[in-house]
Amino acid sequence: MSAPSPAYLCKFNATQALAAGVPVTVDVPINGARHWMIVVSNTGANAVTALTAASSPLGDLFEDAVAVTSGIPLAAGSALSIRGTDEPVTTHRLVITSTSGTTVSIEAGGW
């Protein structure tokens, strides 16, 4: 008999167009999940050239944003993940930039 699947506290899926050179903020609702993962996939034609991430324990105040450097620039057709383990937060804020413009798909899940 297999173990039961966890009930997801966080389940998020969105597509975001990025205009050339304009940082876009996406607040991902983690909803208090202790173990979570966010996947950012570049579904457009140009690279994602900058990405920062910051967490908020209650959704009002955010820690200082940290630049994500591993996997950046994120080429068209590529994806990267951000994970939290034993890190319960309400919201995880991403700021995503593409110098030439592109489209990203963002998916998150956690329990």
Side-chain angles (χ1 to χ4, degrees):
M1 175 176 242
S2 63
S5 298
Y8 283 100
L9 293 174
C10 162
K11 196 170 186 182
F12 177 83
N13 190 356
T15 299
Q16 181 67 56
L18 305 176
V22 179
V24 173
T25 300
V26 178
D27 284 346
V28 179
I30 303 299
N31 300 328
R34 296 185 63 81
H35 307 286
W36 48 267
M37 181 172 72
I38 301 169
V39 177
V40 178
S41 178
N42 184 348
T43 57
N46 300 308
V48 170
T49 52
L51 175 64
T52 64
S55 292
S56 173
L58 298 176
D60 295 321
L61 300 175
F62 284 83
E63 66 186 359
D64 290 339
V66 175
V68 175
T69 56
S70 181
I72 299 294
L74 182 62
S78 297
L80 63 82
S81 63
I82 301 167
R83 296 173 189 254
T85 301
D86 282 332
E87 184 182 347
V89 297
T90 299
T91 306
H92 199 75
R93 177 169 287 165
L94 304 176
V95 179
I96 310 166
T97 307
S98 172
T99 301
S100 300
T102 196
T103 303
V104 294
S105 179
I106 303 160
E107 188 173 281
W111 67 93

